[in-house]
Amino acid sequence: MGSVTAMTSVVATSFVSPCGNLGLRDRWGISSCLLAKRLRLRCLRYDGAKQETGTGRVRRRGLCVARISETEGQTLEQEEAQAREDERTGAGGYKLKENAQPTKPVQLEMETVDDVERPKRIAFNYGFQAKFLRTGPSVPGNVVKLAFENFGREWRSLRRTILFTKLQRIDPSKLSGPLEVVTAYTGRGLFLFLRGLDKFLTLYDGLMELKPLETKGENLEQDELRAALKKLKLSNKAVWDRENARPPVEAPWWILGPYYLLCLMLDVIFDNRPIQRFWFLETVARMPYFSYISMLHLYETLGWWRIGAEVRKVHFAEEWNEMHHLKIMESLGGDLEWGDRFFAQHAAFFYYWVLNVMFLISPKVAYNFSELIEMHAVDTYGEFADANEELLKTLPPSPVAVAYYEGEDLYMYDEFQTSQAPEARRPKINSLYDVFVAISGDEMEHVKTMAACQALNMPVMSPHDRAQRKKEEEVGK
């Protein structure tokens, strides 16, 4: 309210000022300069006087003001070009940051290690959350402090999404019905309204001005890797063809219905965005094992069930494996979009409580649904690796993947693979292709474990526990 009052007073003052010999446009030029100074905007001061070469007029371009001569008869395209040039040179008082661009494409280097040619490994992590959660104490702080810190990060990210997302032109001929037309124009209108509201609050209500985050020019090798990751593709039809070609997972119709609905939703939301889709899947995929551990722990605490408590260890190892899948997708930039994070985190929270209810009703049903999801992940990762094999083999693996699959302590990596002997699987990571092949293999092991959990008459044990029990039985003989 104070800002509006100040603006009104400045404008009113300009019209009662002792500049009676000036025209209306000159008075408006003086009042505009006073208003800009009051609001501390970087505007080009207009002196209100006519130019010697002709009549001048001022055209506003965001925070840039371009002076264009009416007598030159410039076209709209020329005016736009002039405005962009003023922004580049800072003639309008606001200079855009320019990054050094490579004069020619930079090819990612290859190296030979143990007679194997592979992409040269580089350190990278493009994750949004990794920037803030990479370091710190092992024990979190107060919940209020954590919540406010996260809200601040997400609030700035939401505003940048609204302000700097490039909106594509709507082509009605490519929309397949009235509903899509209404949805497209409504969404675009809402986006533009929020963008205007943000700019208004920035100008007149003291909201902090944000600038787009710069991601290019710091490291040419990193820029090349980012560009290559954007070329990765995934065909929804090819995934369904692969799923239809294999034996189906047996499940009742009231489980298959939500499963197909979930898959269709993923196809629509993450169409041609495979890394973001994988990040969403891994965020949600951790929830079943967290839920199963919680329910088994509850049953044990209440004294209802303790037989086969070793399965909690298996589920923890499964969650540990999915967490590293999530961190790998995060390092590839899967969580950079605010909307993807909002959707995935809220879906995971909801999914957790749904699984708890399903486990209360029937653990077998809960495991059956997880088997469906994990088998879909096998198909999706497998199709992605096959479709992008040539490109993936030229890209370096994520450092997170190398540390997980080739680390010295792989005990937890063995524990969720109930169909394998200890140390049976040791993926060799030479490229990003090997990473996705390894993840696809991990998902298949999750499928086997979920199937084993549905066989209620068979014990579910981790590889190390099974080997230990076998040794004890041999000693007993």
Side-chain angles (χ1 to χ4, degrees), residues 158-178:
L158 172 59
R159 288 185 59 205
R160 283 192 171 92
T161 299
I162 294 173
L163 290 173
F164 307 120
T165 296
K166 184 179 180 181
L167 299 179
Q168 301 295 331
R169 184 181 297 275
I170 298 176
D171 186 356
S173 63
K174 296 182 179 180
L175 302 178
S176 59

Side-chain angles (χ1 to χ4, degrees), residues 106-374:
V106 178
Q107 299 295 328
L108 293 171
E109 297 182 12
M110 304 293 287
E111 62 181 4
T112 302
V113 179
D114 296 332
D115 297 329
V116 176
E117 187 179 26
R118 69 183 189 186
K120 180 182 177 182
R121 292 181 177 180
I122 60 176
F124 67 92
N125 193 329
Y126 304 135
F128 175 84
Q129 297 179 95
K131 298 176 183 177
F132 308 101
L133 308 180
R134 189 176 303 167
T135 60
S138 300
V139 179
N142 179 271
V143 64
V144 176
K145 179 177 180 293
L146 293 175
F148 272 97
E149 288 177 350
N150 184 72
F151 178 82
R153 293 192 295 265
E154 296 294 348
W155 169 245
R156 290 189 294 273
S157 178
L158 172 59
R159 288 185 59 205
R160 283 192 171 92
T161 299
I162 294 173
L163 290 173
F164 307 120
T165 296
K166 184 179 180 181
L167 299 179
Q168 301 295 331
R169 184 181 297 275
I170 298 176
D171 186 356
S173 63
K174 296 182 179 180
L175 302 178
S176 59
L179 181 60
E180 286 194 10
V181 173
V182 172
T183 302
Y185 280 100
T186 301
R188 185 182 181 89
L190 178 61
F191 220 87
L192 292 175
F193 168 76
L194 293 176
R195 182 174 292 179
L197 178 62
D198 188 282
K199 291 185 177 180
F200 176 83
L201 294 176
T202 302
L203 291 174
Y204 302 115
D205 201 44
L207 190 65
M208 183 182 69
E209 180 185 354
L210 294 180
K211 296 181 181 179
L213 298 176
E214 302 292 344
T215 58
K216 291 185 177 181
E218 298 176 357
N219 185 298
L220 301 185
E221 201 172 40
Q222 297 273 2
D223 292 347
E224 185 74 8
L225 178 57
R226 284 178 182 270
L229 291 174
K230 292 180 180 179
K231 297 178 183 178
L232 299 171
K233 303 295 182 181
L234 177 65
S235 169
N236 296 328
K237 182 180 181 301
V239 173
W240 284 111
D241 291 343
R242 182 180 289 249
E243 182 167 331
N244 294 329
R246 61 166 170 79
V249 176
E250 298 296 332
W253 64 268
W254 46 275
I255 291 295
L256 289 174
Y259 164 72
Y260 286 126
L261 181 62
L262 173 64
C263 293
L264 178 62
M265 178 184 65
L266 295 177
D267 289 348
V268 173
I269 296 176
F270 298 101
D271 187 33
N272 282 328
R273 297 198 302 143
I275 301 300
Q276 290 78 10
R277 176 176 181 146
F278 294 144
W279 182 82
F280 173 87
L281 282 174
E282 299 300 345
T283 300
V284 175
R286 300 174 63 191
M287 291 300 105
Y289 311 117
F290 179 35
S291 171
Y292 303 154
I293 292 172
S294 301
M295 298 309 299
L296 290 170
H297 198 291
L298 175 64
Y299 286 179
E300 185 177 334
T301 302
L302 297 177
W304 295 358
W305 185 264
R306 185 175 293 175
I307 302 173
E310 292 84 359
V311 73
R312 285 195 288 114
K313 182 180 180 182
V314 174
H315 290 330
F316 178 78
E318 289 184 290
E319 191 277 333
W320 189 259
N321 175 256
E322 299 287 16
M323 180 194 71
H324 283 85
H325 291 177
L326 174 65
K327 292 172 68 176
I328 292 170
M329 299 307 151
E330 180 182 282
S331 69
L332 298 176
D335 71 332
L336 288 178
E337 297 293 335
W338 178 87
D340 294 338
R341 294 194 303 275
F342 182 87
F343 179 44
Q345 291 164 355
H346 288 77
F349 182 81
F350 175 75
Y351 188 38
Y352 169 76
W353 292 104
V354 170
L355 286 167
N356 285 344
V357 174
M358 291 178 66
F359 198 95
L360 284 170
I361 297 173
S362 172
K364 185 175 180 179
V365 169
Y367 286 131
N368 187 211
F369 189 76
S370 293
E371 183 184 3
L372 281 169
I373 299 298
E374 297 292 1

Side-chain angles (χ1 to χ4, degrees), residues 57 59 61 64-87:
R57 62 188 173 94
R59 182 177 295 272
R61 288 285 183 266
C64 173
V65 179
R67 186 185 299 277
I68 305 172
S69 175
E70 291 178 343
T71 59
E72 294 176 353
Q74 290 181 313
T75 64
L76 179 60
E77 290 75 11
Q78 291 172 327
E79 293 180 5
E80 293 287 350
Q82 181 64 44
R84 288 194 294 269
E85 179 64 16
D86 286 345
E87 287 183 337

Side-chain angles (χ1 to χ4, degrees), residues 310 313-314 411 415-416 418 460-467:
E310 292 84 359
K313 182 180 180 182
V314 174
Y411 178 86
E415 286 300 87
F416 76 92
T418 56
V460 178
M461 303 180 65
S462 68
H464 290 98
D465 286 345
R466 187 171 59 249

